[in-house]
Amino acid sequence: MLLQEIPKKEDILAAEKRIHDYVHRTPVFTSTQLNEMLGVNVYFKCENLQKVGAFKMRGASNAVLSLTKQQLKKGVATHSSGNHAQAIALTAKIAKIPSYIVMPQNAPEVKVEAVKKYGAEVIFCESNLMAREETLNDVIEKTGATFIHPYDNYDVIAGQATCAKEMIEDTDHLKAIFAPIGGGGLMAGTLLSSQYFGHKIPIIGAEPQGADDAYRSWKAGKLIQMENPNTIADGLRTSVGERNFPIIQDYITDIVTVSDAEIIEAMRLIFNYLKLVVEPSGAVPFASMMKTAEKYKGKKVGVILCGGNVDLKKLPF
Amino acid sequence: MLLQEIPKKEDILAAEKRIHDYVHRTPVFTSTQLNEMLGVNVYFKCENLQKVGAFKMRGASNAVLSLTKQQLKKGVATHSSGNHAQAIALTAKIAKIPSYIVMPQNAPEVKVEAVKKYGAEVIFCESNLMAREETLNDVIEKTGATFIHPYDNYDVIAGQATCAKEMIEDTDHLKAIFAPIGGGGLMAGTLLSSQYFGHKIPIIGAEPQGADDAYRSWKAGKLIQMENPNTIADGLRTSVGERNFPIIQDYITDIVTVSDAEIIEAMRLIFNYLKLVVEPSGAVPFASMMKTAEKYKGKKVGVILCGGNVDLKKLPF
């Protein structure tokens, strides 16, 4: 395996070009009413309006399109039942290559269908980490497909970085940007874009209290895996990856953890005032922002609405 | 009272200028997934993202800003508990004039608060038409305020017309535009913009089966009032107005009525695929479009998402 370095400015610029036809430049919205209520001017980067309904399309498409022709022919594989799986499947569909998604047998039917709809082959496994990895290895051995990790992958990080880059370009004078931390792909990308394109705007990590491994790892100065995460924000239950953590350590300004009640209230305000559908994970950065609103009175802050894939039957209000 | 004529092309152009700083030019969204599912390319004009969350801001602001200085000083009044009331209150707030909103005593607290938040004075009355009109007349007599009717008013119609005008400018080759019919303000404006700016694009009226007075009036060739409307689409329970009906008679291509089940399904798809919050009334045009999708296979159609003010506790899914 080649030694890799963290993505450079040029890598993110190259990613932006590479994925240009695969992703939307999502809009940035603000709500006068919400701003008056909070005393802060909040700009929302609407990745819930991204293809497949989440920022994951950026990293997945960059990683897939960075493969060699030889690799592309044999296809791509991942294990995920979430937005990354859909992003891999859609990228593969557009690029006309095969994709293989390993999913637990008990994955919700709606998620299985979402991936199949894009033409991916779904391979079921038992619902535990070992079975998942074994099944993925089997698939790779049999097909020669390349594994695209959901976050612990520099090409994925470079792709996710394009989100904050766009936001910085489209919104002047931001005093901070709030982004979520799950595996750390979006966060690492956001931190790098702040360094390279954003005059080092402070980046604030947002994490559910029930899955606060990034906060605890950051405080401890070493990676601590999350055991038994428990939060409504299902997209952020993952622990931070090995390639992601050092970037977080180097560049993050703060991490603000929030309760499920705070996440639900943030979600409700986004539905009510922005008229946007977000998933619980997508509301976490806004919840963190509201919790620290005093610091930003009269100022402009950015908040990444990272995804909108919520089961409408399970809305918490 | 001066004799008035239906709005001319110049009136709509003047309205557009007049309200420019009071409204958003709302975006037009489309969903690849939804289009593939339906076999139709559907373009949604997002008036749920308009100020106060509905197209009503266009007509209300045009009507208020068309008043003389003398009239403006004394303020404006209306009876409504819906989006028009909020639009009048917000316009009055921005224009720094008084506003008086007559509301039934049993209006939901959330709607009363929404209007008060904008600084309007709320005057309560009993919950029947006579009490409402008497109370409004009292308010007008006492304050000298000008009554702004929610739809049966040519300045309101000219304001609402700017919505379809923008959509026509921003979206090429539309084969039809679907718009809702409640009182007929948005519909009359849409029809006029199609005539003046849209090469007479066919305009299709969308109406709930439980409040189908426009459909029945159109078929009968005379205004028939709706008695006991019964539909989840609360914004469309009103009967068509006297100034609105002749414009509908002259220019409408078709009216497609839909059941509450069809409205709820349209709403669900909009939440799911467009990640947008719409109120039941806001989903009616899309429901009508889906019902007649066969006619538009492979073509481009426009759908006006007219509003997004829904009580999240009462979502039908």
Side-chain angles (χ1 to χ4, degrees), chain B residues 44-72:
Chain B
F44 294 91
K45 175 71 170 165
C46 299
E47 288 293 293
N48 59 329
L49 304 178
Q50 186 52 268
K51 280 182 190 282
V52 312
F55 73 93
K56 292 279 184 181
M57 190 60 192
R58 298 175 183 270
S61 58
N62 190 50
V64 172
L65 301 173
S66 296
L67 300 178
T68 63
K69 275 194 184 171
Q70 198 53 34
Q71 288 173 311
L72 281 175

PDB file of all heavy atoms in Angstrom, chain B residues 44-72:
ATOM      1  N   PHE B  44     -40.701  22.350  -9.610  1.00  0.00           N
ATOM      2  CA  PHE B  44     -41.484  22.857  -8.485  1.00  0.00           C
ATOM      3  C   PHE B  44     -41.078  24.289  -8.155  1.00  0.00           C
ATOM      4  O   PHE B  44     -39.912  24.552  -7.843  1.00  0.00           O
ATOM      5  CB  PHE B  44     -41.257  21.990  -7.245  1.00  0.00           C
ATOM      6  CG  PHE B  44     -41.780  20.586  -7.380  1.00  0.00           C
ATOM      7  CD1 PHE B  44     -40.962  19.566  -7.858  1.00  0.00           C
ATOM      8  CD2 PHE B  44     -43.088  20.280  -7.038  1.00  0.00           C
ATOM      9  CE1 PHE B  44     -41.444  18.266  -7.980  1.00  0.00           C
ATOM     10  CE2 PHE B  44     -43.577  18.984  -7.157  1.00  0.00           C
ATOM     11  CZ  PHE B  44     -42.757  17.975  -7.636  1.00  0.00           C
ATOM     12  N   LYS B  45     -42.034  25.193  -8.193  1.00  0.00           N
ATOM     13  CA  LYS B  45     -41.785  26.585  -7.791  1.00  0.00           C
ATOM     14  C   LYS B  45     -42.025  26.665  -6.282  1.00  0.00           C
ATOM     15  O   LYS B  45     -43.164  26.492  -5.814  1.00  0.00           O
ATOM     16  CB  LYS B  45     -42.739  27.504  -8.551  1.00  0.00           C
ATOM     17  CG  LYS B  45     -42.683  28.970  -8.150  1.00  0.00           C
ATOM     18  CD  LYS B  45     -41.402  29.649  -8.590  1.00  0.00           C
ATOM     19  CE  LYS B  45     -41.496  31.173  -8.384  1.00  0.00           C
ATOM     20  NZ  LYS B  45     -40.151  31.791  -8.474  1.00  0.00           N
ATOM     21  N   CYS B  46     -40.964  26.935  -5.537  1.00  0.00           N
ATOM     22  CA  CYS B  46     -40.991  26.730  -4.083  1.00  0.00           C
ATOM     23  C   CYS B  46     -41.494  27.932  -3.298  1.00  0.00           C
ATOM     24  O   CYS B  46     -40.724  28.617  -2.611  1.00  0.00           O
ATOM     25  CB  CYS B  46     -39.601  26.329  -3.610  1.00  0.00           C
ATOM     26  SG  CYS B  46     -39.074  24.786  -4.366  1.00  0.00           S
ATOM     27  N   GLU B  47     -42.789  28.167  -3.368  1.00  0.00           N
ATOM     28  CA  GLU B  47     -43.365  29.270  -2.600  1.00  0.00           C
ATOM     29  C   GLU B  47     -43.484  28.944  -1.111  1.00  0.00           C
ATOM     30  O   GLU B  47     -43.804  29.822  -0.307  1.00  0.00           O
ATOM     31  CB  GLU B  47     -44.724  29.672  -3.183  1.00  0.00           C
ATOM     32  CG  GLU B  47     -44.594  30.385  -4.504  1.00  0.00           C
ATOM     33  CD  GLU B  47     -43.926  31.748  -4.371  1.00  0.00           C
ATOM     34  OE1 GLU B  47     -44.517  32.645  -3.765  1.00  0.00           O
ATOM     35  OE2 GLU B  47     -42.783  31.882  -4.880  1.00  0.00           O
ATOM     36  N   ASN B  48     -43.218  27.692  -0.759  1.00  0.00           N
ATOM     37  CA  ASN B  48     -43.110  27.377   0.673  1.00  0.00           C
ATOM     38  C   ASN B  48     -41.854  28.037   1.263  1.00  0.00           C
ATOM     39  O   ASN B  48     -41.767  28.221   2.463  1.00  0.00           O
ATOM     40  CB  ASN B  48     -43.082  25.855   0.897  1.00  0.00           C
ATOM     41  CG  ASN B  48     -41.935  25.181   0.178  1.00  0.00           C
ATOM     42  OD1 ASN B  48     -41.506  25.640  -0.888  1.00  0.00           O
ATOM     43  ND2 ASN B  48     -41.432  24.107   0.728  1.00  0.00           N
ATOM     44  N   LEU B  49     -40.919  28.414   0.389  1.00  0.00           N
ATOM     45  CA  LEU B  49     -39.719  29.119   0.844  1.00  0.00           C
ATOM     46  C   LEU B  49     -39.881  30.639   0.739  1.00  0.00           C
ATOM     47  O   LEU B  49     -38.935  31.389   0.974  1.00  0.00           O
ATOM     48  CB  LEU B  49     -38.501  28.660   0.037  1.00  0.00           C
ATOM     49  CG  LEU B  49     -38.222  27.146   0.039  1.00  0.00           C
ATOM     50  CD1 LEU B  49     -37.013  26.823  -0.831  1.00  0.00           C
ATOM     51  CD2 LEU B  49     -37.999  26.620   1.454  1.00  0.00           C
ATOM     52  N   GLN B  50     -41.077  31.073   0.368  1.00  0.00           N
ATOM     53  CA  GLN B  50     -41.370  32.517   0.294  1.00  0.00           C
ATOM     54  C   GLN B  50     -41.438  33.094   1.711  1.00  0.00           C
ATOM     55  O   GLN B  50     -41.600  32.346   2.680  1.00  0.00           O
ATOM     56  CB  GLN B  50     -42.725  32.707  -0.416  1.00  0.00           C
ATOM     57  CG  GLN B  50     -43.125  34.141  -0.716  1.00  0.00           C
ATOM     58  CD  GLN B  50     -42.062  34.924  -1.454  1.00  0.00           C
ATOM     59  OE1 GLN B  50     -41.227  35.584  -0.815  1.00  0.00           O
ATOM     60  NE2 GLN B  50     -42.049  34.827  -2.768  1.00  0.00           N
ATOM     61  N   LYS B  51     -41.302  34.408   1.844  1.00  0.00           N
ATOM     62  CA  LYS B  51     -41.503  35.029   3.159  1.00  0.00           C
ATOM     63  C   LYS B  51     -42.877  34.658   3.691  1.00  0.00           C
ATOM     64  O   LYS B  51     -43.820  34.520   2.912  1.00  0.00           O
ATOM     65  CB  LYS B  51     -41.359  36.546   3.066  1.00  0.00           C
ATOM     66  CG  LYS B  51     -39.892  36.983   3.064  1.00  0.00           C
ATOM     67  CD  LYS B  51     -39.756  38.494   3.020  1.00  0.00           C
ATOM     68  CE  LYS B  51     -38.332  38.899   2.766  1.00  0.00           C
ATOM     69  NZ  LYS B  51     -37.470  38.800   3.956  1.00  0.00           N
ATOM     70  N   VAL B  52     -43.019  34.520   4.976  1.00  0.00           N
ATOM     71  CA  VAL B  52     -44.197  33.966   5.689  1.00  0.00           C
ATOM     72  C   VAL B  52     -44.552  32.548   5.228  1.00  0.00           C
ATOM     73  O   VAL B  52     -45.607  32.022   5.617  1.00  0.00           O
ATOM     74  CB  VAL B  52     -45.480  34.864   5.704  1.00  0.00           C
ATOM     75  CG1 VAL B  52     -45.156  36.287   6.102  1.00  0.00           C
ATOM     76  CG2 VAL B  52     -46.258  34.817   4.393  1.00  0.00           C
ATOM     77  N   GLY B  53     -43.729  31.923   4.402  1.00  0.00           N
ATOM     78  CA  GLY B  53     -43.959  30.520   4.043  1.00  0.00           C
ATOM     79  C   GLY B  53     -45.050  30.277   3.026  1.00  0.00           C
ATOM     80  O   GLY B  53     -45.556  29.159   2.914  1.00  0.00           O
ATOM     81  N   ALA B  54     -45.421  31.308   2.264  1.00  0.00           N
ATOM     82  CA  ALA B  54     -46.490  31.116   1.267  1.00  0.00           C
ATOM     83  C   ALA B  54     -46.512  32.265   0.257  1.00  0.00           C
ATOM     84  O   ALA B  54     -46.086  33.389   0.565  1.00  0.00           O
ATOM     85  CB  ALA B  54     -47.845  31.018   1.952  1.00  0.00           C
ATOM     86  N   PHE B  55     -47.055  31.971  -0.936  1.00  0.00           N
ATOM     87  CA  PHE B  55     -47.153  32.969  -2.013  1.00  0.00           C
ATOM     88  C   PHE B  55     -47.938  34.209  -1.596  1.00  0.00           C
ATOM     89  O   PHE B  55     -47.842  35.253  -2.248  1.00  0.00           O
ATOM     90  CB  PHE B  55     -47.830  32.350  -3.243  1.00  0.00           C
ATOM     91  CG  PHE B  55     -49.303  32.132  -3.055  1.00  0.00           C
ATOM     92  CD1 PHE B  55     -50.234  33.090  -3.448  1.00  0.00           C
ATOM     93  CD2 PHE B  55     -49.768  30.972  -2.454  1.00  0.00           C
ATOM     94  CE1 PHE B  55     -51.590  32.898  -3.242  1.00  0.00           C
ATOM     95  CE2 PHE B  55     -51.132  30.768  -2.241  1.00  0.00           C
ATOM     96  CZ  PHE B  55     -52.040  31.735  -2.629  1.00  0.00           C
ATOM     97  N   LYS B  56     -48.732  34.100  -0.532  1.00  0.00           N
ATOM     98  CA  LYS B  56     -49.615  35.195  -0.126  1.00  0.00           C
ATOM     99  C   LYS B  56     -48.872  36.514   0.073  1.00  0.00           C
ATOM    100  O   LYS B  56     -49.456  37.587  -0.028  1.00  0.00           O
ATOM    101  CB  LYS B  56     -50.320  34.826   1.179  1.00  0.00           C
ATOM    102  CG  LYS B  56     -51.320  33.700   1.030  1.00  0.00           C
ATOM    103  CD  LYS B  56     -52.644  34.206   0.482  1.00  0.00           C
ATOM    104  CE  LYS B  56     -53.674  33.087   0.441  1.00  0.00           C
ATOM    105  NZ  LYS B  56     -54.951  33.543  -0.116  1.00  0.00           N
ATOM    106  N   MET B  57     -47.571  36.426   0.370  1.00  0.00           N
ATOM    107  CA  MET B  57     -46.775  37.632   0.584  1.00  0.00           C
ATOM    108  C   MET B  57     -46.749  38.511  -0.674  1.00  0.00           C
ATOM    109  O   MET B  57     -46.646  39.733  -0.572  1.00  0.00           O
ATOM    110  CB  MET B  57     -45.366  37.215   0.986  1.00  0.00           C
ATOM    111  CG  MET B  57     -44.487  38.335   1.483  1.00  0.00           C
ATOM    112  SD  MET B  57     -45.169  39.141   2.955  1.00  0.00           S
ATOM    113  CE  MET B  57     -44.110  40.592   3.054  1.00  0.00           C
ATOM    114  N   ARG B  58     -46.830  37.876  -1.834  1.00  0.00           N
ATOM    115  CA  ARG B  58     -46.771  38.648  -3.087  1.00  0.00           C
ATOM    116  C   ARG B  58     -47.987  39.562  -3.239  1.00  0.00           C
ATOM    117  O   ARG B  58     -47.862  40.770  -3.454  1.00  0.00           O
ATOM    118  CB  ARG B  58     -46.710  37.693  -4.283  1.00  0.00           C
ATOM    119  CG  ARG B  58     -45.471  36.796  -4.299  1.00  0.00           C
ATOM    120  CD  ARG B  58     -45.537  35.777  -5.446  1.00  0.00           C
ATOM    121  NE  ARG B  58     -44.394  34.878  -5.423  1.00  0.00           N
ATOM    122  CZ  ARG B  58     -43.238  35.102  -6.061  1.00  0.00           C
ATOM    123  NH1 ARG B  58     -43.080  36.184  -6.783  1.00  0.00           N
ATOM    124  NH2 ARG B  58     -42.259  34.231  -5.976  1.00  0.00           N
ATOM    125  N   GLY B  59     -49.166  38.980  -3.150  1.00  0.00           N
ATOM    126  CA  GLY B  59     -50.398  39.753  -3.347  1.00  0.00           C
ATOM    127  C   GLY B  59     -50.613  40.754  -2.229  1.00  0.00           C
ATOM    128  O   GLY B  59     -51.000  41.908  -2.480  1.00  0.00           O
ATOM    129  N   ALA B  60     -50.357  40.328  -1.000  1.00  0.00           N
ATOM    130  CA  ALA B  60     -50.577  41.223   0.143  1.00  0.00           C
ATOM    131  C   ALA B  60     -49.675  42.444   0.038  1.00  0.00           C
ATOM    132  O   ALA B  60     -50.129  43.580   0.200  1.00  0.00           O
ATOM    133  CB  ALA B  60     -50.324  40.476   1.446  1.00  0.00           C
ATOM    134  N   SER B  61     -48.394  42.204  -0.263  1.00  0.00           N
ATOM    135  CA  SER B  61     -47.482  43.356  -0.309  1.00  0.00           C
ATOM    136  C   SER B  61     -47.820  44.262  -1.485  1.00  0.00           C
ATOM    137  O   SER B  61     -47.764  45.492  -1.367  1.00  0.00           O
ATOM    138  CB  SER B  61     -46.018  42.907  -0.347  1.00  0.00           C
ATOM    139  OG  SER B  61     -45.763  42.071  -1.453  1.00  0.00           O
ATOM    140  N   ASN B  62     -48.224  43.688  -2.622  1.00  0.00           N
ATOM    141  CA  ASN B  62     -48.584  44.553  -3.748  1.00  0.00           C
ATOM    142  C   ASN B  62     -49.806  45.403  -3.432  1.00  0.00           C
ATOM    143  O   ASN B  62     -49.850  46.592  -3.740  1.00  0.00           O
ATOM    144  CB  ASN B  62     -48.841  43.743  -5.016  1.00  0.00           C
ATOM    145  CG  ASN B  62     -48.984  44.642  -6.234  1.00  0.00           C
ATOM    146  OD1 ASN B  62     -48.136  45.515  -6.453  1.00  0.00           O
ATOM    147  ND2 ASN B  62     -50.061  44.475  -6.993  1.00  0.00           N
ATOM    148  N   ALA B  63     -50.806  44.794  -2.790  1.00  0.00           N
ATOM    149  CA  ALA B  63     -52.030  45.541  -2.486  1.00  0.00           C
ATOM    150  C   ALA B  63     -51.744  46.646  -1.468  1.00  0.00           C
ATOM    151  O   ALA B  63     -52.193  47.784  -1.630  1.00  0.00           O
ATOM    152  CB  ALA B  63     -53.101  44.585  -1.961  1.00  0.00           C
ATOM    153  N   VAL B  64     -50.961  46.322  -0.447  1.00  0.00           N
ATOM    154  CA  VAL B  64     -50.671  47.338   0.578  1.00  0.00           C
ATOM    155  C   VAL B  64     -49.854  48.479  -0.026  1.00  0.00           C
ATOM    156  O   VAL B  64     -50.177  49.655   0.156  1.00  0.00           O
ATOM    157  CB  VAL B  64     -49.922  46.717   1.776  1.00  0.00           C
ATOM    158  CG1 VAL B  64     -49.449  47.799   2.742  1.00  0.00           C
ATOM    159  CG2 VAL B  64     -50.802  45.704   2.500  1.00  0.00           C
ATOM    160  N   LEU B  65     -48.829  48.129  -0.786  1.00  0.00           N
ATOM    161  CA  LEU B  65     -47.927  49.157  -1.315  1.00  0.00           C
ATOM    162  C   LEU B  65     -48.557  49.957  -2.457  1.00  0.00           C
ATOM    163  O   LEU B  65     -47.995  50.960  -2.893  1.00  0.00           O
ATOM    164  CB  LEU B  65     -46.604  48.531  -1.758  1.00  0.00           C
ATOM    165  CG  LEU B  65     -45.836  47.793  -0.649  1.00  0.00           C
ATOM    166  CD1 LEU B  65     -44.633  47.059  -1.223  1.00  0.00           C
ATOM    167  CD2 LEU B  65     -45.391  48.751   0.447  1.00  0.00           C
ATOM    168  N   SER B  66     -49.730  49.533  -2.927  1.00  0.00           N
ATOM    169  CA  SER B  66     -50.444  50.281  -3.964  1.00  0.00           C
ATOM    170  C   SER B  66     -51.321  51.387  -3.361  1.00  0.00           C
ATOM    171  O   SER B  66     -51.892  52.193  -4.084  1.00  0.00           O
ATOM    172  CB  SER B  66     -51.338  49.343  -4.792  1.00  0.00           C
ATOM    173  OG  SER B  66     -50.544  48.413  -5.497  1.00  0.00           O
ATOM    174  N   LEU B  67     -51.433  51.392  -2.038  1.00  0.00           N
ATOM    175  CA  LEU B  67     -52.274  52.396  -1.388  1.00  0.00           C
ATOM    176  C   LEU B  67     -51.611  53.780  -1.439  1.00  0.00           C
ATOM    177  O   LEU B  67     -50.403  53.897  -1.620  1.00  0.00           O
ATOM    178  CB  LEU B  67     -52.530  51.995   0.069  1.00  0.00           C
ATOM    179  CG  LEU B  67     -53.247  50.651   0.293  1.00  0.00           C
ATOM    180  CD1 LEU B  67     -53.387  50.380   1.798  1.00  0.00           C
ATOM    181  CD2 LEU B  67     -54.617  50.639  -0.375  1.00  0.00           C
ATOM    182  N   THR B  68     -52.415  54.823  -1.272  1.00  0.00           N
ATOM    183  CA  THR B  68     -51.872  56.185  -1.220  1.00  0.00           C
ATOM    184  C   THR B  68     -51.198  56.411   0.133  1.00  0.00           C
ATOM    185  O   THR B  68     -51.448  55.679   1.088  1.00  0.00           O
ATOM    186  CB  THR B  68     -52.998  57.236  -1.340  1.00  0.00           C
ATOM    187  OG1 THR B  68     -53.864  57.080  -0.205  1.00  0.00           O
ATOM    188  CG2 THR B  68     -53.808  57.026  -2.615  1.00  0.00           C
ATOM    189  N   LYS B  69     -50.388  57.444   0.196  1.00  0.00           N
ATOM    190  CA  LYS B  69     -49.713  57.766   1.462  1.00  0.00           C
ATOM    191  C   LYS B  69     -50.722  57.982   2.573  1.00  0.00           C
ATOM    192  O   LYS B  69     -50.516  57.583   3.715  1.00  0.00           O
ATOM    193  CB  LYS B  69     -48.866  59.035   1.292  1.00  0.00           C
ATOM    194  CG  LYS B  69     -47.496  58.733   0.733  1.00  0.00           C
ATOM    195  CD  LYS B  69     -46.557  59.920   0.898  1.00  0.00           C
ATOM    196  CE  LYS B  69     -45.216  59.611   0.245  1.00  0.00           C
ATOM    197  NZ  LYS B  69     -44.323  60.773   0.185  1.00  0.00           N
ATOM    198  N   GLN B  70     -51.797  58.670   2.205  1.00  0.00           N
ATOM    199  CA  GLN B  70     -52.855  58.971   3.161  1.00  0.00           C
ATOM    200  C   GLN B  70     -53.457  57.673   3.718  1.00  0.00           C
ATOM    201  O   GLN B  70     -53.671  57.532   4.916  1.00  0.00           O
ATOM    202  CB  GLN B  70     -53.929  59.810   2.430  1.00  0.00           C
ATOM    203  CG  GLN B  70     -54.865  60.549   3.366  1.00  0.00           C
ATOM    204  CD  GLN B  70     -54.086  61.399   4.385  1.00  0.00           C
ATOM    205  OE1 GLN B  70     -53.021  61.939   4.099  1.00  0.00           O
ATOM    206  NE2 GLN B  70     -54.632  61.479   5.602  1.00  0.00           N
ATOM    207  N   GLN B  71     -53.720  56.736   2.800  1.00  0.00           N
ATOM    208  CA  GLN B  71     -54.286  55.447   3.218  1.00  0.00           C
ATOM    209  C   GLN B  71     -53.300  54.653   4.086  1.00  0.00           C
ATOM    210  O   GLN B  71     -53.671  54.071   5.102  1.00  0.00           O
ATOM    211  CB  GLN B  71     -54.661  54.607   1.980  1.00  0.00           C
ATOM    212  CG  GLN B  71     -55.892  55.112   1.233  1.00  0.00           C
ATOM    213  CD  GLN B  71     -56.117  54.346  -0.067  1.00  0.00           C
ATOM    214  OE1 GLN B  71     -55.176  54.176  -0.857  1.00  0.00           O
ATOM    215  NE2 GLN B  71     -57.343  53.901  -0.304  1.00  0.00           N
ATOM    216  N   LEU B  72     -52.047  54.645   3.645  1.00  0.00           N
ATOM    217  CA  LEU B  72     -51.020  53.881   4.365  1.00  0.00           C
ATOM    218  C   LEU B  72     -50.936  54.298   5.830  1.00  0.00           C
ATOM    219  O   LEU B  72     -50.823  53.463   6.720  1.00  0.00           O
ATOM    220  CB  LEU B  72     -49.654  54.064   3.698  1.00  0.00           C
ATOM    221  CG  LEU B  72     -49.390  53.242   2.433  1.00  0.00           C
ATOM    222  CD1 LEU B  72     -48.041  53.614   1.822  1.00  0.00           C
ATOM    223  CD2 LEU B  72     -49.431  51.743   2.722  1.00  0.00           C
TER     224      LEU B  72
END
